[in-house]
Amino acid sequence: MKNILVTGGAGFIGSNFVRYLLKNEINIHIYNLDALTYAGSLENLDNLPDPSRHTFIHGDICNRELIDQLFRQYAIDTVVHFAAESHVDRSIFEPDAFIQTNVFGTFTLLEAAKRAWLENTPPIPDVRFHHISTDEVFGSLKEDDPAFREDTPYAPNSPYAASKAASDHLVRAYGHTYGLPYTLTNCSNNYGPYQFPEKLIPLMILNALEGKPLPVYGDGKQVRDWLYVEDHCEAILLVLRQAPLGESYNIGGGNQPTNLEIVENLCEILDEVVPHSPYKPHRQLIRFVADRPGHDRRYAMDIGKISTQLGWKPRHSLAEGLLATVKWYLEHEEWIAAIRQRGDFKAWMQRNYAQRGEEK
Ligand code: NAD
Ligand code: TYD
């Protein structure tokens, strides 16, 4: 691993990974390709450790000429592919960009990797395409179903999940048909620093700080398997260093709280760390709103394979991770102010909640 193309490295997990990689791999250079959609921001890349080993490229993963040029110019030997449209609610209102970026963009990258690495004689050695995916490709679990394993059949329910499933299938197909060296990880819900506040945890923190309603979809009893983002980054680096090619791994936090429990937990933390808040107790801000159409009930990841083969397990408990996350948002007012200024963000929030309304 020397010249790493990270896609989507100005987004939430990608920017955390760029930081983590610069800290933990001293002999690599990162080429960070990001289109800076509403979800990506150069502010996420402020104060990188050793920024001389990081080159930012503003561009689209669907741009074939650009990707070909990057592979040639920088002798890319490793791809870590995060770039995606990632928000389920948006995929319900506007699925087009999900198909374009998640499916066509992944296809464009795979084609470029094939051309650069395999269509040489002899093929370039020691290369790897690592694809970042989600637990949502496996569909929804009932209360007593066992957790998703790597061999659980795909059953995506939202346009987002379907587009990610399609991209996973393309990656496998390029491995199977052309021999493209790849690995794949499917991870559960991440949370932590730099997460865009359209997702549950940062949205609740930011709304609570302003005394705005905390909108819980449906009955709030949906279950997600929350993982602190740094633990995800550690798992990805372990896979890059040690995992055999052609393998996929499930990654998850081993937590099973309901959404309502998460929101109540955040309210309790805020009551503690912002003791003079006029909105205390913050739980009074909770509102039940109309449910997400086709809302998946429960996700849970069986992490037996990555634990046994690579020795990974999450380091942060949910309680530690949530506290660290609340504190990070409290300490990053400028970052929050910059995000709030974005016209797209305001328009999206208004549209999302205008359509949902309040249930009771
Ligand atoms: P994010 O929405 O915060 O960031 C996505 C990044 O991709 C942004 O910086 C955006 O500008 C960039 N991007 C979007 N379209 C692009 C394009 N066409 N070309 C170049 N860049 C583009 O997403 P995230 O939460 O950081 O998720 C990153 C990856 O991890 C995604 O593939 C997602 O499916 C996967 N994942 C996310 C979670 C989660 O809980 N957030 C869990 C499991 C897997
Ligand atoms: P989200 O963070 O959007 O992630 P995902 O849909 O990929 O799991 O949502 C997490 C859970 O929280 C999901 O069950 C939907 C729910 N949710 C709410 O109840 N209210 C909200 O305002 C949001 C954004 C999500």
Side-chain angles (χ1 to χ4, degrees), residues 130-131 133-138 141 146-154 168 172 183-188 225 227 231-232 235-236 239 247-254 299-310 312-314:
H130 182 70
H131 182 57
S133 192
T134 164
D135 57 358
E136 305 196 22
V137 298
F138 298 118
L141 293 169
F148 300 128
R149 291 160 39 106
E150 288 75 4
D151 55 5
T152 300
Y154 275 31
D168 292 12
R172 282 172 208 272
T183 38
L184 199 160
T185 45
N186 294 87
C187 189
S188 60
D225 182 347
L227 180 69
D231 290 337
H232 186 189
I236 296 167
V239 168
E247 292 292 326
S248 77
Y249 295 88
N250 283 358
I251 303 171
Y299 305 140
M301 285 304 231
D302 181 334
I303 59 164
K305 182 175 173 185
I306 191 165
S307 306
T308 314
Q309 289 191 8
L310 306 181
W312 177 87
K313 61 177 179 11

Side-chain angles (χ1 to χ4, degrees), residues 206-251:
L206 266 54
N207 278 9
L209 288 174
E210 286 200 325
K212 288 186 179 162
L214 308 181
V216 172
Y217 298 171
D219 62 5
K221 297 209 175 114
Q222 303 81 8
V223 170
R224 299 292 182 263
D225 182 347
W226 295 98
L227 180 69
Y228 192 62
V229 63
E230 195 180 298
D231 290 337
H232 186 189
C233 295
E234 185 181 358
I236 296 167
L237 182 53
L238 213 53
V239 168
L240 291 175
R241 282 177 176 162
Q242 291 180 27
L245 296 170
E247 292 292 326
S248 77
Y249 295 88
N250 283 358
I251 303 171

Side-chain angles (χ1 to χ4, degrees), residues 7-15 33-41 44 59-62 81-87 100-102 105 131-136 160 164 185-191 194-196 198-199 226 232:
T7 70
F12 162 48
I13 308 175
S15 63
L33 173 66
D34 197 297
L36 298 179
T37 67
Y38 78 92
S41 158
N44 294 355
D60 193 321
I61 57 165
C62 301
H81 175 33
F82 292 94
E85 289 292 335
S86 68
H87 188 37
Q100 179 67 10
T101 287
N102 300 2
H131 182 57
I132 305 292
S133 192
T134 164
D135 57 358
E136 305 196 22
Y160 163 66
K164 290 297 290 185
T185 45
N186 294 87
C187 189
S188 60
N189 286 63
N190 284 216
Y191 67 99
Y194 299 105
Q195 186 166 32
F196 192 77
E198 63 185 353
K199 305 274 169 65
W226 295 98
H232 186 189

